[in-house]
Amino acid sequence: MRRWIPTLSMLFVSLISYIDRNTLALLAPTILRETHLTAEQYGFIISAFSVMYMLGNPVWGRVLDRYGLRRGMAASVSFWTLASVAHAFAGGFFTFAAARAALGFGEGATFPGGLRTVVQTLPPSKRSRGIAVAYSGGSLGAIITPIIVTPIALWWGWRAAFVFTGLIGVAWLLLWSLVSRDPEIQKRREPEAQRAHIHFRDSRVWAFMAAYALGALPLAFVLYGAAIFLSQALGKSQAQIGAVLWIPPLGWEAGYFFWGTIADRLAREERLGFGSLRVLFFTLMLLSLPLAAATFSLSYQLLLIQLFLAMFVAAGFVILSIAYATHTFSANHAGLIAGLGAGSWSAVVALVMPIFGHLFDLKNYSGAFALAALFPVAGFLGWWLGASPAVSRKHRMY
């Protein structure tokens, strides 16, 4: 159990990062009403976060690979804790966008730190489940944010919710000052000669990013858009939204461990190759399609189940794409691998969230849901084309 403590600390850091980012998404109906922001402006605010998150991921990935986890994670969490509290003092589009951009850059270390910790402290046969644990803080954060933050916002106002996010960031820094003394965290792994290094002319790098960024796009759509949809289209109050918005992220959490267990089993049996992953990614693509029909659900309960399924499937794209990358490339690049995955996802989110916001302003909810359902199709095709043995051999560089 002691071996898992570093990974558990990464669960907590991803938990906090998603409480930080989900607080704005959850309280968006109230904040937009009080600050007179439109859904399209809200989309651009999310884009400000996403652009800086995109840039921050590979930057922090390189920092963690080169300078180590202890100092790198302490610096990043300190930075984003201050940025999160800054939201409490925002009052308009530009101040929210600035605070969100700073938060995005700091939180770019979340998943590079998680993956770097897993490959440093766990054996290969447990890494996919380790990734599921480290990354699952994100889904747990999405689950508990409505439960914790809604009462704070109702009792003391939405600004107090962002002060709360700063306090939990400080608490994690105190925990990290103890956990990061573990020799497992401070050691450096030797290069893995049997694994390839990362070069951007290698089609497998782009295949990995396509599966992660496009396949997991519904995570952002549900995460950032569900509260606005429930408010605008269904007339739900902030309290009613907070009472149910933990349900879709529960699918995200379950998906991490379900698909992580499958990936570890394939790794143990030495069957984590192109053929088995092609079947799994194709299955995920098919399971993504029901999201397109979510607005036609016959009941509120069925809608929530469809959102649950969308996040369950998107979690599979995250876990399996990372399993593919860590199986293909050197573990010495673990931070960069995670950074490229999360950064490319964030780049796509930055591009499409204003489009989703615009469609919401036009009340074209069915169009927004259909568009979100098409991204996993593109993710599967992008991975299939780039990871195909014939194509990857042609573009490979070592």
Side-chain angles (χ1 to χ4, degrees), residues 28-48:
T30 298
I31 294 173
L32 265 60
R33 184 174 60 252
E34 292 189 9
T35 58
H36 307 293
L37 293 168
T38 67
E40 187 173 5
Q41 287 177 313
Y42 169 73
F44 279 110
I45 290 170
I46 298 300
S47 289

Side-chain angles (χ1 to χ4, degrees), residues 251-273:
W252 185 5
E253 178 76 3
Y256 272 157
F257 289 96
F258 178 82
W259 301 109
T261 300
I262 289 176
D264 274 347
R265 181 175 299 173
L266 291 172
R268 282 197 306 273
E269 297 172 358
E270 298 184 352
R271 293 192 297 118
L272 193 63

